Structure formats: structure tokens, C-alpha cells
Amino acid sequence: MGDYENKEREEVFSKKVRAGKRTYFFDVKSTRSNDYYITVTESKKRLEDGVFVKHKIFLYKEDFEKFAEGLAETVDYIKAHQEVVEKRYEYNPDGAPQKVDDDFSFEI
């Protein structure tokens, strides 16, 4: 990959969130014209062969508000219709997620 292509996807900020068997990556990247966008990547280890399967979405700044509104409305719907208890997990060197006792509520 040439310098031109690398510059198009320059990483500005990254946040990794471990959640049970999945890990989510929230990355802010910059285009060559210095516009920021977000990539959200879900990574999960496939049990049968140990391969990490990744799914990625790209979220552009002109869509931030509508995306956040839609996500908030969807989360609120679920919270209104079912109990939601988020679990905290910490990294365990043997690869298995380890639950932490301090559960917390999910809010946007």
C-alpha cells in the first residue's frame, strides 16, 4: 500500500471495548482531506477454528446525529421492554473473558 493510500486512512483515535466474547473497536480516522470518520469493528473468535471474524461499519460525520438518535431510540426501546444488565469483563491471559462484579447500566 502506498503512502497515498495510507494517508487516506490515517488513524487519529482508537478505543477498544471488550464485551464478553466480543471486542469492539471504535476508531476515528482521517481522509486525505482531513475529514474525520468512524469505523466500528466487532471482532469475535470463532470456536471451531480459532479464527477472528470481524465485521466493520463506516460512519461519516454527516450521519453522526441520525445514527446516534437511531441507536439511542433502539436502546431505549429494549430497555423499556426488557431488563438490561451490562456485564463488565476484563482481559484474562488464558483467552477466556473474566466477569467483574461491578455491573453497570448502558446509557448513550
Side-chain angles (χ1 to χ4, degrees), residues 64-104:
F64 288 173
E65 290 299 319
K66 291 290 184 185
F67 183 89
E69 288 171 12
L71 180 60
E73 186 177 330
T74 303
V75 169
D76 289 346
Y77 176 86
I78 293 172
K79 289 167 105 176
H81 292 86
Q82 291 184 343
E83 181 181 3
V84 176
V85 178
E86 294 288 324
K87 309 281 188 227
R88 279 224 181 245
Y89 293 88
E90 288 185 356
Y91 176 71
N92 187 346
D94 67 10
Q98 180 177 343
K99 185 181 172 299
V100 177
D101 290 332
D102 61 332
D103 290 347
F104 63 99

Side-chain angles (χ1 to χ4, degrees), residues 24-86:
Y24 298 96
F25 299 91
F26 298 90
D27 299 312
V28 176
K29 297 186 179 187
S30 176
T31 65
R32 68 175 188 247
S33 61
N34 206 31
D35 280 335
Y36 289 169
Y37 64 97
I38 298 171
T39 61
V40 180
T41 306
E42 174 205 39
S43 179
K44 184 177 179 184
K45 193 173 191 178
R46 211 168 30 202
L47 294 176
E48 57 270 13
D49 57 7
V51 171
F52 284 94
V53 177
K54 295 181 180 182
H55 298 97
K56 185 176 284 198
I57 64 167
F58 293 79
L59 182 59
Y60 299 96
K61 64 184 181 182
E62 60 268 20
D63 301 328
F64 288 173
E65 290 299 319
K66 291 290 184 185
F67 183 89
E69 288 171 12
L71 180 60
E73 186 177 330
T74 303
V75 169
D76 289 346
Y77 176 86
I78 293 172
K79 289 167 105 176
H81 292 86
Q82 291 184 343
E83 181 181 3
V84 176
V85 178
E86 294 288 324

Side-chain angles (χ1 to χ4, degrees), residues 2-15:
D3 289 337
Y4 178 80
E5 292 164 357
N6 282 336
K7 187 165 175 66
E8 282 188 307
R9 297 187 197 147
E10 182 179 331
E11 193 168 293
V12 177
F13 173 83
S14 187
K15 173 71 178 168

